[in-house]
Amino acid sequence: MLCMCDEAVGEHACSVSLQIFSRILTELESLLEKDVGINKAMGNYGAEDIMRRCRNESVRILTHCNTGSLATGGYGTALGVIRSVNARGKLLHAYCTETRPYNQGSRLTAYELVHDKLPATLVCDDMCAALMRLNKIAAVIVGADRVVANGDTANKIGTYQLAVLAKHHGVLFYVAAPTSSIDLHMKTGDEIIIEERPHAEMTTVKGIRLAPEGINCWNPAFDVTPAELITGGIVTEFGVFTPAELQSELNKHLGLSN
């Protein structure tokens, strides 16, 4: 972005380029500050709701994929809620899934939990049912790549199965999503197009083949969690809303027409 001020460019052109760079930098810093503010508001609303519904007792929380400072401006969405619970002295333990096949949980979320010195444990994706049955998980909280008008939510593959497990075990299931991730023009999750990722993500690790040549793979990047499984609520920067409340509440807070 910075210009190379040589004889061909001239001082005036260089000065203009530096002014443009300064304006862009100022805007980027403003966006960063805004993003962190949104994340912290979500963290506070989410933590307050969990504390209210868990009678202010210390809690164990499970999360999926990475939704922390490595995925946002510096605080996090779902992981921001966990940070806010911990700031209240109420985080008994955080659990993060490895998040196969790309391992965002083991590579990124685990790193953030260790960095923040939070009480935390990494689990394989296929351990979550046993974890909920044996360890009194109070809540599952995940992020969102897209939330649509009826509350259906697309997020990292494996989210849907966690919601089903949470429902079976009576565990609160939350989605943390800033309004920038909510698309009220889409009515249901059936309209969301799901990306399919390269098969090599499943069959190899750092170039080392784990599965035999010739095996077919199905590797969707996301799945869609039906709104009725989001039993805790959808955490936004304006508050925590049920899927049924989401559209009307956002219309009110954002000044949108129905």
Side-chain angles (χ1 to χ4, degrees):
M1 295 171 70
L2 282 172
C3 66
M4 300 296 293
C5 294
D6 55 22
E7 293 180 358
V9 175
E11 290 186 8
H12 176 71
C14 186
S15 175
V16 170
S17 296
L18 287 172
Q19 290 175 27
I20 293 172
F21 171 77
S22 178
R23 290 176 62 183
I24 292 173
L25 182 60
T26 299
E27 181 65 20
L28 291 174
E29 290 174 340
S30 174
L31 288 172
L32 174 60
E33 183 178 353
K34 180 180 179 182
D35 186 69
V36 172
I38 287 171
N39 285 185
K40 288 186 175 181
M42 293 169 61
N44 286 329
Y45 282 126
E48 287 172 2
D49 198 79
I50 291 172
M51 290 296 93
R52 177 181 63 82
R53 299 181 71 165
C54 294
R55 300 178 181 178
N56 208 38
E57 296 179 359
S58 295
V59 293
R60 297 179 179 90
I61 301 176
L62 171 64
T63 191
H64 186 58
C65 199
N66 180 254
T67 58
S69 57
L70 296 175
T72 64
Y75 191 72
T77 55
L79 194 53
V81 174
I82 293 174
R83 285 184 164 117
S84 292
V85 171
N86 183 68
R88 288 164 167 75
K90 295 296 183 178
L91 181 65
L92 195 60
H93 210 84
Y95 294 87
C96 64
T97 64
E98 61 176 352
T99 319
R100 286 282 294 149
Y102 213 56
N103 296 320
Q104 293 96 327
S106 58
R107 292 186 298 109
L108 304 176
T109 302
Y111 171 83
E112 292 201 47
L113 292 168
V114 170
H115 178 272
D116 284 12
K117 297 181 172 59
L118 301 186
T121 296
L122 173 67
V123 298
C124 295
D125 297 9
D126 53 6
M127 298 174 181
C128 292
L131 179 69
M132 291 182 197
R133 182 171 180 265
L134 298 174
N135 283 278
K136 197 179 179 182
I137 302 299
V140 177
I141 184 159
V142 300
D145 289 88
R146 179 169 294 182
V147 180
V148 298
N150 74 339
D152 290 350
T153 297
N155 192 50
K156 185 57 59 185
I157 189 70
T159 300
Y160 178 28
Q161 68 186 19
L162 288 178
V164 172
L165 291 173
K167 181 77 169 180
H168 177 77
H169 289 92
V171 174
L172 294 168
F173 189 89
Y174 289 89
V175 169
T179 53
S180 58
S181 296
I182 301 174
D183 185 352
L184 298 181
H185 297 290
M186 283 191 173
K187 300 303 180 185
T188 74
D190 293 337
E191 299 175 56
I192 300 173
I193 297 173
I194 302 298
E195 172 193 3
E196 186 163 347
R197 298 285 297 170
H199 294 179
E201 290 182 355
M202 296 175 62
T203 60
T204 65
V205 173
K206 292 187 174 180
I208 301 173
R209 176 165 283 278
L210 303 177
E213 293 276 3
I215 187 66
N216 290 319
C217 297
W218 182 56
N219 188 19
F222 312 101
D223 55 29
V224 176
T225 298
E228 60 266 24
L229 295 179
I230 303 172
T231 55
I234 298 172
V235 184
T236 75
E237 64 266 39
F238 298 115
V240 181
F241 310 120
T242 67
E245 297 171 331
L246 183 64
Q247 185 163 12
S248 62
E249 288 292 338
L250 291 191
N251 286 338
K252 179 174 68 177
H253 286 285
L254 297 175
L256 304 174
S257 58
N258 291 319

Coordinates of all heavy atoms in Angstrom, one line a residue, residues 102-159:
Y102 N -10.4 -30.7 9.7 CA -9.3 -29.8 9.6 C -8.8 -29.3 10.9 O -7.8 -28.5 11.0 CB -9.8 -28.5 8.8 CG -8.7 -27.9 7.9 CD1 -8.0 -28.6 7.0 CD2 -8.4 -26.5 8.1 CE1 -7.0 -28.0 6.2 CE2 -7.5 -25.9 7.3 CZ -6.7 -26.7 6.4 OH -5.8 -26.1 5.7
N103 N -9.4 -29.8 12.0 CA -8.8 -29.7 13.3 C -8.6 -28.2 13.8 O -7.6 -27.9 14.5 CB -7.4 -30.4 13.4 CG -7.5 -31.9 13.2 OD1 -8.5 -32.5 13.7 ND2 -6.6 -32.5 12.4
Q104 N -9.6 -27.4 13.5 CA -9.5 -26.0 14.0 C -9.6 -26.0 15.5 O -9.0 -25.1 16.1 CB -10.7 -25.2 13.4 CG -10.6 -25.0 11.9 CD -11.5 -26.0 11.2 OE1 -11.6 -27.1 11.6 NE2 -12.0 -25.5 10.0
G105 N -10.3 -26.9 16.1 CA -10.4 -26.9 17.6 C -9.1 -27.3 18.2 O -8.6 -26.6 19.2
S106 N -8.4 -28.4 17.8 CA -7.2 -28.8 18.4 C -6.0 -27.9 18.0 O -5.1 -27.6 18.8 CB -6.8 -30.2 18.0 OG -6.7 -30.4 16.6
R107 N -6.1 -27.2 16.8 CA -5.0 -26.4 16.4 C -5.1 -24.9 17.0 O -4.1 -24.3 17.3 CB -4.9 -26.3 14.9 CG -4.4 -27.6 14.2 CD -4.2 -27.5 12.7 NE -5.4 -27.1 12.0 CZ -5.7 -25.9 11.5 NH1 -4.8 -24.9 11.6 NH2 -6.8 -25.7 10.9
L108 N -6.4 -24.4 17.0 CA -6.6 -23.0 17.3 C -7.3 -22.8 18.7 O -6.7 -22.0 19.5 CB -7.4 -22.4 16.2 CG -6.8 -22.6 14.8 CD1 -7.8 -22.0 13.7 CD2 -5.5 -21.9 14.7
T109 N -8.4 -23.4 18.9 CA -9.1 -23.2 20.1 C -8.4 -23.6 21.3 O -8.3 -22.9 22.3 CB -10.5 -23.8 20.1 OG1 -11.3 -23.3 18.9 CG2 -11.3 -23.6 21.3
A110 N -7.8 -24.8 21.2 CA -7.0 -25.3 22.3 C -5.8 -24.4 22.6 O -5.5 -24.1 23.8 CB -6.4 -26.7 22.0
Y111 N -5.2 -23.8 21.6 CA -4.1 -22.9 21.8 C -4.6 -21.7 22.5 O -3.9 -21.2 23.5 CB -3.6 -22.5 20.4 CG -2.6 -21.3 20.5 CD1 -1.2 -21.5 20.8 CD2 -3.0 -20.0 20.3 CE1 -0.3 -20.5 20.9 CE2 -2.1 -18.9 20.4 CZ -0.8 -19.2 20.7 OH 0.1 -18.1 20.8
E112 N -5.8 -21.1 22.2 CA -6.3 -19.9 22.8 C -6.6 -20.2 24.3 O -6.4 -19.4 25.2 CB -7.5 -19.4 22.1 CG -7.2 -18.8 20.7 CD -8.3 -17.9 20.2 OE1 -8.7 -17.0 21.0 OE2 -8.7 -18.0 19.1
L113 N -7.2 -21.4 24.6 CA -7.6 -21.8 25.9 C -6.3 -21.9 26.8 O -6.3 -21.4 28.0 CB -8.4 -23.1 26.0 CG -9.8 -23.0 25.3 CD1 -10.3 -24.4 25.1 CD2 -10.7 -22.1 26.2
V114 N -5.3 -22.5 26.3 CA -4.0 -22.6 27.0 C -3.4 -21.2 27.2 O -2.9 -20.9 28.3 CB -3.0 -23.6 26.2 CG1 -1.6 -23.5 26.9 CG2 -3.6 -25.0 26.3
H115 N -3.4 -20.4 26.1 CA -2.8 -19.1 26.2 C -3.5 -18.2 27.3 O -2.8 -17.5 28.1 CB -3.0 -18.3 24.9 CG -2.5 -16.9 24.9 ND1 -3.3 -15.9 25.2 CD2 -1.3 -16.4 24.6 CE1 -2.6 -14.7 25.2 NE2 -1.4 -15.0 24.8
D116 N -4.8 -18.4 27.4 CA -5.6 -17.6 28.5 C -5.6 -18.3 29.8 O -6.1 -17.8 30.8 CB -7.0 -17.4 28.0 CG -7.2 -16.4 26.9 OD1 -6.1 -15.9 26.4 OD2 -8.3 -16.0 26.6
K117 N -4.9 -19.5 29.9 CA -4.8 -20.2 31.2 C -6.2 -20.6 31.7 O -6.5 -20.5 32.9 CB -4.0 -19.4 32.2 CG -2.6 -19.2 31.8 CD -1.8 -18.5 32.9 CE -0.3 -18.4 32.6 NZ 0.0 -17.8 31.3
L118 N -7.1 -20.9 30.8 CA -8.5 -21.3 31.2 C -8.4 -22.8 31.5 O -7.7 -23.6 30.9 CB -9.5 -21.1 30.2 CG -9.7 -19.6 29.7 CD1 -10.8 -19.5 28.8 CD2 -9.9 -18.7 30.9
P119 N -9.2 -23.3 32.5 CA -9.3 -24.7 32.7 C -10.0 -25.4 31.5 O -11.2 -25.2 31.3 CB -10.2 -24.8 34.0 CG -11.0 -23.6 34.0 CD -10.1 -22.5 33.4
A120 N -9.3 -26.2 30.8 CA -9.8 -26.7 29.5 C -9.3 -28.1 29.2 O -8.2 -28.5 29.6 CB -9.4 -25.7 28.4
T121 N -10.1 -28.8 28.4 CA -9.7 -30.1 27.9 C -10.1 -30.3 26.5 O -11.2 -29.9 26.1 CB -10.4 -31.2 28.8 OG1 -10.0 -31.1 30.1 CG2 -10.2 -32.6 28.2
L122 N -9.3 -30.9 25.7 CA -9.5 -31.2 24.3 C -10.2 -32.6 24.2 O -9.7 -33.5 24.8 CB -8.3 -31.1 23.5 CG -8.3 -31.6 22.0 CD1 -9.1 -30.6 21.2 CD2 -6.9 -31.7 21.5
V123 N -11.2 -32.7 23.4 CA -11.9 -34.0 23.2 C -12.0 -34.3 21.7 O -12.1 -33.4 20.9 CB -13.2 -34.1 23.9 CG1 -13.1 -34.0 25.4 CG2 -14.2 -33.1 23.3
C124 N -12.0 -35.6 21.3 CA -12.3 -35.9 19.9 C -13.8 -35.7 19.7 O -14.6 -35.8 20.6 CB -12.0 -37.4 19.7 SG -10.2 -37.8 19.8
D125 N -14.1 -35.5 18.4 CA -15.5 -35.2 18.1 C -16.5 -36.3 18.5 O -17.6 -36.1 18.8 CB -15.6 -34.9 16.6 CG -14.9 -33.7 16.1 OD1 -14.1 -33.1 16.9 OD2 -15.0 -33.3 14.9
D126 N -16.0 -37.5 18.4 CA -16.9 -38.7 18.7 C -17.0 -39.0 20.2 O -17.5 -40.0 20.5 CB -16.4 -39.9 17.9 CG -15.0 -40.3 18.1 OD1 -14.3 -39.6 18.9 OD2 -14.5 -41.2 17.4
M127 N -16.4 -38.2 21.0 CA -16.5 -38.4 22.5 C -17.6 -37.5 23.1 O -17.8 -37.6 24.3 CB -15.2 -38.0 23.1 CG -14.0 -38.9 22.7 SD -12.4 -38.2 23.4 CE -11.3 -39.4 22.7
C128 N -18.3 -36.7 22.4 CA -19.1 -35.7 23.0 C -20.4 -36.2 23.6 O -20.8 -35.7 24.6 CB -19.5 -34.6 21.9 SG -18.1 -33.6 21.4
A129 N -20.9 -37.3 23.1 CA -22.1 -37.9 23.7 C -21.7 -38.5 25.1 O -22.4 -38.2 26.1 CB -22.6 -39.1 22.9
A130 N -20.6 -39.2 25.2 CA -20.1 -39.7 26.5 C -19.8 -38.5 27.4 O -20.1 -38.6 28.7 CB -18.9 -40.6 26.3
L131 N -19.2 -37.4 26.9 CA -18.9 -36.3 27.7 C -20.1 -35.7 28.3 O -20.1 -35.4 29.5 CB -18.2 -35.2 26.8 CG -17.7 -33.9 27.5 CD1 -16.6 -34.2 28.5 CD2 -17.3 -32.9 26.5
M132 N -21.2 -35.5 27.5 CA -22.4 -34.9 28.1 C -23.0 -35.8 29.1 O -23.6 -35.4 30.1 CB -23.4 -34.6 26.9 CG -22.9 -33.5 26.0 SD -24.2 -33.2 24.7 CE -23.2 -32.3 23.6
R133 N -23.0 -37.1 28.9 CA -23.6 -38.1 29.8 C -22.8 -38.1 31.2 O -23.5 -38.3 32.2 CB -23.6 -39.5 29.2 CG -24.3 -40.5 30.0 CD -24.5 -41.8 29.2 NE -25.1 -42.8 30.0 CZ -24.5 -43.8 30.7 NH1 -23.2 -43.8 30.6 NH2 -25.1 -44.7 31.4
L134 N -21.5 -38.0 31.1 CA -20.7 -38.3 32.3 C -20.2 -37.0 33.1 O -19.9 -37.1 34.2 CB -19.5 -39.1 31.9 CG -19.8 -40.5 31.4 CD1 -18.5 -41.2 30.9 CD2 -20.6 -41.4 32.4
N135 N -20.2 -35.9 32.4 CA -19.5 -34.7 33.0 C -20.4 -33.5 33.2 O -19.9 -32.4 33.5 CB -18.3 -34.3 32.1 CG -17.2 -35.2 32.3 OD1 -16.4 -35.1 33.2 ND2 -17.0 -36.2 31.4
K136 N -21.7 -33.6 33.2 CA -22.6 -32.6 33.6 C -22.3 -31.3 32.9 O -22.0 -30.2 33.5 CB -22.6 -32.3 35.1 CG -23.8 -31.5 35.6 CD -23.8 -31.3 37.1 CE -25.0 -30.5 37.5 NZ -25.0 -30.2 39.0
I137 N -22.3 -31.3 31.5 CA -22.1 -30.1 30.7 C -23.3 -29.3 30.8 O -24.5 -29.7 30.6 CB -21.9 -30.5 29.2 CG1 -20.7 -31.5 29.1 CG2 -21.7 -29.3 28.4 CD1 -19.4 -30.9 29.6
A138 N -23.1 -28.0 31.2 CA -24.3 -27.1 31.3 C -24.7 -26.5 30.0 O -25.9 -26.3 29.8 CB -23.9 -25.9 32.2
A139 N -23.8 -26.3 29.1 CA -24.1 -25.6 27.8 C -23.1 -26.0 26.7 O -21.9 -26.2 27.0 CB -24.2 -24.1 28.0
V140 N -23.6 -26.0 25.5 CA -22.8 -26.0 24.3 C -23.0 -24.7 23.7 O -24.1 -24.2 23.5 CB -23.2 -27.2 23.3 CG1 -22.4 -27.1 22.1 CG2 -23.2 -28.5 24.0
I141 N -21.9 -24.1 23.3 CA -22.0 -22.8 22.5 C -21.0 -22.9 21.3 O -19.9 -23.2 21.4 CB -21.7 -21.6 23.4 CG1 -21.9 -20.3 22.6 CG2 -20.3 -21.7 24.1 CD1 -22.1 -19.1 23.5
V142 N -21.6 -22.5 20.2 CA -20.9 -22.5 18.9 C -21.0 -21.2 18.2 O -21.9 -20.4 18.6 CB -21.4 -23.7 18.0 CG1 -21.2 -25.0 18.7 CG2 -22.9 -23.4 17.6
G143 N -20.2 -21.0 17.2 CA -20.4 -19.8 16.4 C -21.3 -20.1 15.2 O -22.1 -21.1 15.2
A144 N -21.3 -19.2 14.2 CA -22.2 -19.4 13.0 C -21.5 -18.8 11.8 O -21.0 -17.7 11.9 CB -23.5 -18.8 13.3
D145 N -21.6 -19.5 10.7 CA -21.2 -18.9 9.4 C -22.4 -18.1 8.8 O -22.2 -17.1 8.1 CB -20.7 -19.9 8.5 CG -19.3 -20.4 8.9 OD1 -19.3 -21.4 9.7 OD2 -18.3 -19.9 8.5
R146 N -23.6 -18.6 9.1 CA -24.8 -17.9 8.6 C -26.0 -18.4 9.5 O -26.2 -19.6 9.7 CB -25.1 -18.2 7.2 CG -26.3 -17.4 6.6 CD -26.4 -17.5 5.1 NE -25.4 -16.7 4.5 CZ -25.3 -16.6 3.2 NH1 -26.2 -17.1 2.4 NH2 -24.3 -15.9 2.6
V147 N -26.8 -17.4 9.9 CA -28.1 -17.7 10.5 C -29.2 -17.0 9.6 O -29.0 -15.9 9.2 CB -28.2 -17.0 11.9 CG1 -29.5 -17.3 12.6 CG2 -27.0 -17.5 12.8
V148 N -30.2 -17.8 9.4 CA -31.3 -17.3 8.5 C -32.5 -16.8 9.3 O -32.5 -17.0 10.5 CB -31.7 -18.3 7.4 CG1 -30.4 -18.6 6.5 CG2 -32.2 -19.6 8.0
A149 N -33.5 -16.4 8.6 CA -34.6 -15.7 9.3 C -35.3 -16.5 10.3 O -35.8 -16.0 11.4 CB -35.6 -15.2 8.3
N150 N -35.5 -17.8 10.1 CA -36.2 -18.7 11.0 C -35.3 -19.2 12.1 O -35.7 -20.0 13.0 CB -36.9 -19.9 10.3 CG -35.9 -20.9 9.9 OD1 -34.7 -20.7 9.7 ND2 -36.4 -22.1 9.6
G151 N -34.0 -18.9 12.1 CA -33.1 -19.3 13.2 C -32.2 -20.5 12.8 O -31.3 -20.8 13.5
D152 N -32.5 -21.2 11.7 CA -31.7 -22.2 11.2 C -30.2 -21.7 11.0 O -30.1 -20.6 10.6 CB -32.1 -22.8 9.9 CG -33.4 -23.6 9.9 OD1 -33.9 -23.9 11.1 OD2 -34.0 -23.9 8.9
T153 N -29.3 -22.5 11.4 CA -27.9 -22.0 11.5 C -26.9 -22.9 10.8 O -26.8 -24.1 11.1 CB -27.4 -21.9 13.0 OG1 -28.3 -20.9 13.6 CG2 -26.0 -21.4 13.1
A154 N -26.1 -22.3 9.9 CA -25.0 -23.1 9.2 C -23.8 -22.8 10.0 O -23.4 -21.6 10.2 CB -24.9 -22.7 7.8
N155 N -23.1 -23.9 10.3 CA -21.8 -23.7 11.0 C -20.9 -24.9 10.7 O -21.3 -25.8 9.9 CB -22.0 -23.6 12.5 CG -20.8 -23.2 13.3 OD1 -20.1 -22.2 12.9 ND2 -20.4 -23.9 14.3
K156 N -19.7 -24.9 11.2 CA -18.8 -26.0 10.9 C -19.4 -27.4 11.1 O -20.2 -27.6 12.0 CB -17.6 -25.8 11.9 CG -16.4 -26.8 11.6 CD -15.9 -26.7 10.2 CE -15.4 -25.3 9.9 NZ -15.0 -25.1 8.5
I157 N -19.0 -28.2 10.1 CA -19.5 -29.6 10.1 C -19.3 -30.2 11.5 O -18.3 -30.1 12.1 CB -18.9 -30.4 9.0 CG1 -19.6 -31.8 8.9 CG2 -17.4 -30.6 9.3 CD1 -20.9 -31.7 8.3
G158 N -20.4 -30.9 12.0 CA -20.3 -31.4 13.3 C -21.2 -30.7 14.3 O -21.5 -31.2 15.4
T159 N -21.6 -29.5 14.0 CA -22.4 -28.6 14.9 C -23.8 -29.3 15.0 O -24.3 -29.4 16.2 CB -22.6 -27.2 14.3 OG1 -21.3 -26.6 14.2 CG2 -23.4 -26.4 15.2

